[in-house]
Amino acid sequence: MNEEKKLWGGRFTGAADENFVRFNRSFGFDWRLFAADISGCLAHCEGLRRAAVLTPDEADEIQAGLNKLLEQSAKDQNFFADSSAEDVHSFIESRLIEIVGDAGRKLHTGRSRNDQVATALRLWLREKTDELADELRDAQKSLVDLAEKHQTAILPGYTHLQRAQPILFAHWCLSYFEMLKRDAARLSEVRKRINVLPLGAAALAGTAYPIDRRAVARDLGFEAISENSLDAVSDRDFAVEFAAAAALIMTHLSRLAEDVILYATTEFGFFELSDAISTGSSLMPQKKNPDSMELVRGKSGRVFGNLMALLTMLKGLPMAYNKDMQEDKEAVFDTFDTTRDCLRISATVLRNIKVREDAARSAAVKGYLNATELADYLSKKDVPFRAAHELAGKIVLYAIAEKVELNELDLSAMRKFSVKIEADVYDALSLEKTLETKNVTGGTAPKQVKKALRQARRFLSGKTAG
Ligand code: ARG
């Protein structure tokens, strides 16, 4: 292992406790910020060049060295393994000095690890936010694909997990599409607040060198620069917001997971999951388990935990930077990894669902899911809705006793409850009419769902904003 020289050794005479050194180190995880930190270093170097703090030759040398490190990291599998560096920032600085010598010792002029780490984390998270947005889109696409494949399929819709009213299967798919659409909009909001440059804040008070912060921001693609140096180095709101946006994504995926798991049971029988995303049992030969979706559902807990860890870590911190904030990395990394993986697996699962349209349709016509239609039918014949509801309820009770569905009752039997009921009631109670009548924007009428599907496609092709 390469023994790294400490960045801050001058003031110290005693040796550090071994356990504390290990405890204090973040390189074991923050090496993931390497490329982002190199970008930050390159831009800072350019800022120092513009401010004439570095000569053009020195700046060139440093930048060549930084690029060389980037190359090495891409080639060498053990690039990060073989170091005792305290964190990724000291790692880069000491490696740079190894390559370019004295010029490398000048890179840290006018900056602190405090504004450096905030910059690197923002750069990293900006990229990952874009990656998550891509994954969201892909999951949305798989929902729309599935919906289009089964445009006429019908599901029983539930409230309280009790059969309520029939819906189109595509309508169910599009409900998740909407959730993910909001998630994407939320991410792009978070991205704006991630995309602010802290560099130039130095340790806490602002850099003492005439660095053009706006130019550095431009070089790094930041839309704004931080307005207060204390806030710049101690703000991790963007990490919290990212975790909160991810927590909602996970909430949505966990609901999708639950529906899929439930609908794939023998009891429901609406879905069949392909072998590609299922597992067997070590004991029970007949089992085919939806582990994929169970893990998605379960992993939501990690992301919620990360959100809570970040909030708790920040709460009550005195101004400005505190080492507590080193704890942000693992929470943010794990939030990204978990959410990306879960989005990916969910999209894969959606591509591996077989909808058992017959079973779903039979379920949608059993259990009086058209009772509301009967009440509506009566209310259209001038029975006040409350009275119509009461009458329909009584007829349902009668049908239950007779062990038939509403549309299987004789007209004469129904007329005993109300003479307003006529032969056209059967049409009103039909599955087709039940769906057709929900002809309102956002409703499950086939016409509306078709329109919603078209809009969803347009959204995916980027022709509509969120
Ligand atoms: N590894 C540290 C972190 O993640 C970098 C900043 C350290 N700054 C300091 N003054 N100790 O927060």
Side-chain angles (χ1 to χ4, degrees):
M1 197 189 273
N2 255 328
E3 263 317 308
E4 311 281 341
K5 192 168 175 301
K6 285 189 187 67
L7 294 175
W8 37 261
R11 183 234 187 275
F12 286 74
T13 50
D17 175 82
E18 227 174 85
N19 265 330
F20 167 63
V21 171
R22 204 172 316 123
F23 184 67
N24 192 40
R25 282 184 76 205
S26 54
F27 190 58
F29 47 87
D30 71 9
W31 62 269
R32 290 183 68 175
L33 296 179
F34 176 76
D37 204 33
I38 291 277
S39 301
C41 289
L42 286 165
H44 178 63
C45 180
E46 202 53 33
L48 291 174
R49 181 209 300 267
R50 271 191 295 263
V53 176
L54 293 176
T55 66
D57 282 351
E58 287 169 333
D60 285 348
E61 253 185 274
I62 291 172
Q63 286 171 340
L66 290 168
N67 284 320
K68 178 126 203 229
L69 286 179
L70 210 51
E71 268 170 44
Q72 287 175 355
S73 73
K75 275 193 220 132
D76 181 1
Q77 293 265 322
N78 292 320
F79 188 63
F80 299 110
D82 185 30
S83 168
S84 65
E86 180 182 321
D87 58 21
V88 66
H89 320 293
S90 21
F91 174 79
I92 290 176
E93 188 169 321
S94 54
R95 287 293 143 96
L96 179 69
I97 292 167
E98 272 172 33
I99 297 181
V100 306
D102 271 348
R105 289 182 222 278
K106 292 192 174 181
L107 176 62
H108 211 55
T109 313
R111 105 183 152 171
S112 150
R113 271 185 297 165
N114 300 350
D115 57 347
Q116 184 182 355
V117 68
T119 303
L121 186 59
R122 282 171 183 271
L123 286 171
W124 187 88
L125 206 45
R126 186 178 68 189
E127 188 184 306
K128 299 304 171 191
T129 299
D130 293 343
E131 277 180 45
L132 269 198
D134 288 344
E135 298 291 348
L136 272 171
R137 247 186 150 59
D138 190 54
Q140 284 181 297
K141 191 175 169 299
S142 60
L143 282 163
V144 175
D145 288 345
L146 187 62
E148 281 179 349
K149 205 160 120 198
H150 301 278
Q151 284 217 37
T152 54
I154 293 161
L155 281 183
Y158 296 85
T159 64
H160 313 269
L161 209 49
Q162 303 287 324
R163 286 188 194 169
Q165 289 185 305
I167 53 169
L168 282 188
F169 167 72
H171 199 52
W172 174 88
C173 293
L174 287 174
S175 70
Y176 286 100
F177 179 90
E178 287 298 314
M179 292 179 224
L180 299 187
K181 197 162 95 184
R182 287 197 296 280
D183 290 329
R186 233 180 318 270
L187 273 187
S188 77
E189 268 305 304
V190 176
R191 192 189 194 280
K192 287 184 205 156
R193 279 181 292 281
I194 292 174
N195 209 14
V196 177
L197 175 82
L199 214 54
L204 75 162
T207 184
Y209 295 81
I211 293 171
D212 180 348
R213 296 189 61 217
R214 288 196 193 281
V216 176
R218 258 196 310 280
D219 285 348
L220 289 171
F222 283 117
E223 277 163 66
I225 59 176
S226 59
E227 302 282 350
N228 179 291
S229 60
L230 296 173
D231 180 45
V233 291
S234 62
D235 169 28
R236 294 292 184 273
D237 293 2
F238 63 94
V240 172
E241 283 191 71
F242 175 78
L248 269 172
I249 295 175
M250 292 302 298
T251 300
H252 296 151
L253 294 183
S254 76
R255 295 186 62 184
L256 173 70
E258 175 63 12
D259 269 357
V260 171
I261 291 166
L262 215 51
Y263 294 173
T265 57
T266 312
E267 285 72 10
F268 279 75
F270 308 155
F271 293 170
E272 209 176 293
L273 303 184
S274 86
D275 290 358
I277 44 142
S278 310
T279 58
S281 158
S282 58
L283 175 68
M284 300 163 283
Q286 86 283 12
K287 290 296 289 288
K288 187 164 166 188
N289 298 326
D291 292 32
S292 46
M293 288 277 87
E294 291 169 69
L295 277 169
V296 167
R297 188 177 58 188
K299 280 177 191 287
S300 58
R302 299 167 73 109
V303 176
F304 301 170
N306 291 335
L307 171 61
M308 206 44 69
L310 285 167
L311 283 168
T312 314
M313 178 273 285
L314 286 174
K315 181 196 163 295
L317 281 188
M319 268 303 164
Y321 176 84
N322 298 271
K323 194 64 174 254
D324 310 46
M325 293 164 79
Q326 180 163 288
E327 288 291 306
D328 61 2
K329 299 327 163 281
E330 285 161 294
V332 165
F333 295 160
D334 184 62
T335 297
F336 169 72
D337 293 343
T338 305
T339 310
R340 180 209 43 208
D341 288 354
C342 289
L343 276 167
R344 252 185 217 168
I345 290 296
S346 301
T348 305
V349 168
L350 288 165
R351 293 191 173 105
N352 280 280
I353 285 180
K354 211 168 113 202
V355 181
R356 299 179 57 209
E357 295 196 20
D358 288 349
R361 192 188 177 89
S362 331
V365 294
K366 253 182 232 99
Y368 311 100
L369 290 91
N370 51 1
T372 312
E373 310 314 310
L374 184 54
D376 284 340
Y377 172 86
L378 285 165
S379 118
K380 278 176 201 152
K381 300 222 164 175
D382 237 19
V383 180
F385 185 76
R386 192 45 57 216
H389 185 284
E390 173 85 14
L391 270 173
K394 290 220 161 87
I395 299 174
V396 166
L397 207 58
Y398 174 74
I400 292 172
E402 295 293 304
K403 297 195 172 64
V404 290
E405 287 297 317
L406 291 177
N407 40 296
E408 290 163 357
L409 286 171
D410 285 343
L411 184 58
S412 58
M414 281 197 265
R415 281 175 68 85
K416 286 201 186 112
F417 292 89
S418 169
V419 290
K420 298 220 165 159
I421 300 179
E422 291 166 272
D424 60 352
V425 73
Y426 294 105
D427 182 47
L429 291 177
S430 72
L431 184 56
E432 285 64 33
K433 266 285 152 54
T434 304
L435 290 165
E436 259 170 43
T437 45
K438 310 305 176 300
N439 192 20
V440 61
T441 300
T444 198
K447 231 161 96 186
Q448 296 292 340
V449 174
K450 216 177 196 137
K451 196 170 86 187
L453 264 175
R454 269 203 309 274
Q455 273 167 4
R457 269 284 169 230
R458 221 172 308 134
F459 174 89
L460 288 175
S461 66
K463 285 189 190 118
T464 44

PDB file of all heavy atoms in Angstrom, residues 68-85:
ATOM      1  N   LYS A  68      -3.804  12.892 -16.835  1.00  0.00           N
ATOM      2  CA  LYS A  68      -3.066  11.633 -16.794  1.00  0.00           C
ATOM      3  C   LYS A  68      -3.662  10.715 -15.715  1.00  0.00           C
ATOM      4  O   LYS A  68      -3.832   9.506 -15.927  1.00  0.00           O
ATOM      5  CB  LYS A  68      -1.599  11.949 -16.498  1.00  0.00           C
ATOM      6  CG  LYS A  68      -0.706  10.780 -16.373  1.00  0.00           C
ATOM      7  CD  LYS A  68       0.466  10.920 -17.316  1.00  0.00           C
ATOM      8  CE  LYS A  68       1.043   9.561 -17.621  1.00  0.00           C
ATOM      9  NZ  LYS A  68       2.459   9.466 -17.480  1.00  0.00           N
ATOM     10  N   LEU A  69      -3.985  11.323 -14.569  1.00  0.00           N
ATOM     11  CA  LEU A  69      -4.590  10.539 -13.482  1.00  0.00           C
ATOM     12  C   LEU A  69      -5.908   9.915 -13.940  1.00  0.00           C
ATOM     13  O   LEU A  69      -6.212   8.760 -13.646  1.00  0.00           O
ATOM     14  CB  LEU A  69      -4.850  11.424 -12.259  1.00  0.00           C
ATOM     15  CG  LEU A  69      -3.632  11.837 -11.437  1.00  0.00           C
ATOM     16  CD1 LEU A  69      -4.060  12.732 -10.281  1.00  0.00           C
ATOM     17  CD2 LEU A  69      -2.937  10.589 -10.888  1.00  0.00           C
ATOM     18  N   LEU A  70      -6.644  10.709 -14.675  1.00  0.00           N
ATOM     19  CA  LEU A  70      -7.932  10.228 -15.190  1.00  0.00           C
ATOM     20  C   LEU A  70      -7.720   9.012 -16.093  1.00  0.00           C
ATOM     21  O   LEU A  70      -8.414   8.001 -15.984  1.00  0.00           O
ATOM     22  CB  LEU A  70      -8.589  11.371 -15.972  1.00  0.00           C
ATOM     23  CG  LEU A  70     -10.105  11.447 -16.024  1.00  0.00           C
ATOM     24  CD1 LEU A  70     -10.731  11.369 -14.646  1.00  0.00           C
ATOM     25  CD2 LEU A  70     -10.536  12.743 -16.718  1.00  0.00           C
ATOM     26  N   GLU A  71      -6.732   9.124 -16.950  1.00  0.00           N
ATOM     27  CA  GLU A  71      -6.393   8.009 -17.850  1.00  0.00           C
ATOM     28  C   GLU A  71      -5.994   6.775 -17.055  1.00  0.00           C
ATOM     29  O   GLU A  71      -6.459   5.671 -17.316  1.00  0.00           O
ATOM     30  CB  GLU A  71      -5.180   8.378 -18.714  1.00  0.00           C
ATOM     31  CG  GLU A  71      -5.500   9.006 -20.051  1.00  0.00           C
ATOM     32  CD  GLU A  71      -4.210   9.545 -20.678  1.00  0.00           C
ATOM     33  OE1 GLU A  71      -3.177   8.820 -20.643  1.00  0.00           O
ATOM     34  OE2 GLU A  71      -4.234  10.695 -21.152  1.00  0.00           O
ATOM     35  N   GLN A  72      -5.111   7.006 -16.084  1.00  0.00           N
ATOM     36  CA  GLN A  72      -4.643   5.878 -15.269  1.00  0.00           C
ATOM     37  C   GLN A  72      -5.804   5.177 -14.577  1.00  0.00           C
ATOM     38  O   GLN A  72      -5.859   3.956 -14.524  1.00  0.00           O
ATOM     39  CB  GLN A  72      -3.644   6.360 -14.213  1.00  0.00           C
ATOM     40  CG  GLN A  72      -2.285   6.725 -14.769  1.00  0.00           C
ATOM     41  CD  GLN A  72      -1.361   7.307 -13.703  1.00  0.00           C
ATOM     42  OE1 GLN A  72      -1.772   7.523 -12.559  1.00  0.00           O
ATOM     43  NE2 GLN A  72      -0.108   7.565 -14.068  1.00  0.00           N
ATOM     44  N   SER A  73      -6.722   5.986 -14.086  1.00  0.00           N
ATOM     45  CA  SER A  73      -7.847   5.388 -13.343  1.00  0.00           C
ATOM     46  C   SER A  73      -8.692   4.515 -14.266  1.00  0.00           C
ATOM     47  O   SER A  73      -9.281   3.527 -13.838  1.00  0.00           O
ATOM     48  CB  SER A  73      -8.723   6.476 -12.723  1.00  0.00           C
ATOM     49  OG  SER A  73      -9.484   7.128 -13.713  1.00  0.00           O
ATOM     50  N   ALA A  74      -8.748   4.894 -15.537  1.00  0.00           N
ATOM     51  CA  ALA A  74      -9.545   4.103 -16.479  1.00  0.00           C
ATOM     52  C   ALA A  74      -8.849   2.794 -16.823  1.00  0.00           C
ATOM     53  O   ALA A  74      -9.489   1.783 -17.087  1.00  0.00           O
ATOM     54  CB  ALA A  74      -9.800   4.919 -17.738  1.00  0.00           C
ATOM     55  N   LYS A  75      -7.509   2.830 -16.799  1.00  0.00           N
ATOM     56  CA  LYS A  75      -6.746   1.645 -17.222  1.00  0.00           C
ATOM     57  C   LYS A  75      -6.472   0.664 -16.087  1.00  0.00           C
ATOM     58  O   LYS A  75      -6.556  -0.537 -16.260  1.00  0.00           O
ATOM     59  CB  LYS A  75      -5.395   2.104 -17.802  1.00  0.00           C
ATOM     60  CG  LYS A  75      -5.495   2.474 -19.277  1.00  0.00           C
ATOM     61  CD  LYS A  75      -4.089   2.602 -19.873  1.00  0.00           C
ATOM     62  CE  LYS A  75      -4.040   3.787 -20.832  1.00  0.00           C
ATOM     63  NZ  LYS A  75      -2.887   4.659 -20.612  1.00  0.00           N
ATOM     64  N   ASP A  76      -6.105   1.231 -14.946  1.00  0.00           N
ATOM     65  CA  ASP A  76      -5.580   0.413 -13.857  1.00  0.00           C
ATOM     66  C   ASP A  76      -6.695  -0.044 -12.913  1.00  0.00           C
ATOM     67  O   ASP A  76      -7.297   0.752 -12.204  1.00  0.00           O
ATOM     68  CB  ASP A  76      -4.529   1.246 -13.100  1.00  0.00           C
ATOM     69  CG  ASP A  76      -3.906   0.471 -11.948  1.00  0.00           C
ATOM     70  OD1 ASP A  76      -4.284  -0.712 -11.764  1.00  0.00           O
ATOM     71  OD2 ASP A  76      -3.061   1.047 -11.250  1.00  0.00           O
ATOM     72  N   GLN A  77      -6.931  -1.344 -12.906  1.00  0.00           N
ATOM     73  CA  GLN A  77      -7.974  -1.930 -12.048  1.00  0.00           C
ATOM     74  C   GLN A  77      -7.748  -1.633 -10.562  1.00  0.00           C
ATOM     75  O   GLN A  77      -8.695  -1.490  -9.806  1.00  0.00           O
ATOM     76  CB  GLN A  77      -7.980  -3.451 -12.228  1.00  0.00           C
ATOM     77  CG  GLN A  77      -8.426  -3.917 -13.604  1.00  0.00           C
ATOM     78  CD  GLN A  77      -9.900  -4.244 -13.595  1.00  0.00           C
ATOM     79  OE1 GLN A  77     -10.407  -4.786 -12.633  1.00  0.00           O
ATOM     80  NE2 GLN A  77     -10.609  -3.887 -14.668  1.00  0.00           N
ATOM     81  N   ASN A  78      -6.465  -1.579 -10.204  1.00  0.00           N
ATOM     82  CA  ASN A  78      -6.152  -1.411  -8.777  1.00  0.00           C
ATOM     83  C   ASN A  78      -5.813   0.020  -8.407  1.00  0.00           C
ATOM     84  O   ASN A  78      -5.203   0.273  -7.377  1.00  0.00           O
ATOM     85  CB  ASN A  78      -4.965  -2.316  -8.402  1.00  0.00           C
ATOM     86  CG  ASN A  78      -5.368  -3.760  -8.488  1.00  0.00           C
ATOM     87  OD1 ASN A  78      -6.481  -4.114  -8.089  1.00  0.00           O
ATOM     88  ND2 ASN A  78      -4.491  -4.588  -9.040  1.00  0.00           N
ATOM     89  N   PHE A  79      -6.193   0.925  -9.271  1.00  0.00           N
ATOM     90  CA  PHE A  79      -5.809   2.326  -9.093  1.00  0.00           C
ATOM     91  C   PHE A  79      -6.193   2.851  -7.712  1.00  0.00           C
ATOM     92  O   PHE A  79      -5.438   3.549  -7.062  1.00  0.00           O
ATOM     93  CB  PHE A  79      -6.468   3.167 -10.190  1.00  0.00           C
ATOM     94  CG  PHE A  79      -6.006   4.592 -10.230  1.00  0.00           C
ATOM     95  CD1 PHE A  79      -4.678   4.907 -10.497  1.00  0.00           C
ATOM     96  CD2 PHE A  79      -6.899   5.630  -9.997  1.00  0.00           C
ATOM     97  CE1 PHE A  79      -4.250   6.226 -10.546  1.00  0.00           C
ATOM     98  CE2 PHE A  79      -6.478   6.948 -10.039  1.00  0.00           C
ATOM     99  CZ  PHE A  79      -5.152   7.253 -10.312  1.00  0.00           C
ATOM    100  N   PHE A  80      -7.391   2.515  -7.287  1.00  0.00           N
ATOM    101  CA  PHE A  80      -7.874   3.046  -6.006  1.00  0.00           C
ATOM    102  C   PHE A  80      -7.549   2.122  -4.827  1.00  0.00           C
ATOM    103  O   PHE A  80      -7.570   2.548  -3.690  1.00  0.00           O
ATOM    104  CB  PHE A  80      -9.384   3.273  -6.057  1.00  0.00           C
ATOM    105  CG  PHE A  80      -9.793   4.269  -7.098  1.00  0.00           C
ATOM    106  CD1 PHE A  80     -10.471   3.865  -8.241  1.00  0.00           C
ATOM    107  CD2 PHE A  80      -9.492   5.609  -6.946  1.00  0.00           C
ATOM    108  CE1 PHE A  80     -10.849   4.783  -9.202  1.00  0.00           C
ATOM    109  CE2 PHE A  80      -9.858   6.538  -7.907  1.00  0.00           C
ATOM    110  CZ  PHE A  80     -10.533   6.123  -9.040  1.00  0.00           C
ATOM    111  N   ALA A  81      -7.296   0.860  -5.145  1.00  0.00           N
ATOM    112  CA  ALA A  81      -7.127  -0.124  -4.075  1.00  0.00           C
ATOM    113  C   ALA A  81      -5.844   0.120  -3.298  1.00  0.00           C
ATOM    114  O   ALA A  81      -5.776  -0.046  -2.084  1.00  0.00           O
ATOM    115  CB  ALA A  81      -7.133  -1.518  -4.675  1.00  0.00           C
ATOM    116  N   ASP A  82      -4.847   0.586  -4.020  1.00  0.00           N
ATOM    117  CA  ASP A  82      -3.498   0.606  -3.479  1.00  0.00           C
ATOM    118  C   ASP A  82      -3.151   1.964  -2.874  1.00  0.00           C
ATOM    119  O   ASP A  82      -2.197   2.603  -3.264  1.00  0.00           O
ATOM    120  CB  ASP A  82      -2.545   0.268  -4.644  1.00  0.00           C
ATOM    121  CG  ASP A  82      -1.124   0.132  -4.164  1.00  0.00           C
ATOM    122  OD1 ASP A  82      -0.931  -0.266  -3.005  1.00  0.00           O
ATOM    123  OD2 ASP A  82      -0.220   0.455  -4.953  1.00  0.00           O
ATOM    124  N   SER A  83      -3.946   2.416  -1.920  1.00  0.00           N
ATOM    125  CA  SER A  83      -3.646   3.727  -1.345  1.00  0.00           C
ATOM    126  C   SER A  83      -4.145   3.823   0.086  1.00  0.00           C
ATOM    127  O   SER A  83      -5.169   3.257   0.426  1.00  0.00           O
ATOM    128  CB  SER A  83      -4.311   4.822  -2.175  1.00  0.00           C
ATOM    129  OG  SER A  83      -4.249   6.050  -1.487  1.00  0.00           O
ATOM    130  N   SER A  84      -3.414   4.536   0.895  1.00  0.00           N
ATOM    131  CA  SER A  84      -3.862   4.770   2.271  1.00  0.00           C
ATOM    132  C   SER A  84      -4.371   6.196   2.428  1.00  0.00           C
ATOM    133  O   SER A  84      -4.398   6.734   3.526  1.00  0.00           O
ATOM    134  CB  SER A  84      -2.706   4.510   3.245  1.00  0.00           C
ATOM    135  OG  SER A  84      -1.694   5.482   3.005  1.00  0.00           O
ATOM    136  N   ALA A  85      -4.734   6.821   1.316  1.00  0.00           N
ATOM    137  CA  ALA A  85      -5.169   8.231   1.355  1.00  0.00           C
ATOM    138  C   ALA A  85      -6.327   8.411   2.329  1.00  0.00           C
ATOM    139  O   ALA A  85      -7.142   7.515   2.524  1.00  0.00           O
ATOM    140  CB  ALA A  85      -5.584   8.676  -0.037  1.00  0.00           C
TER     141      ALA A  85
END
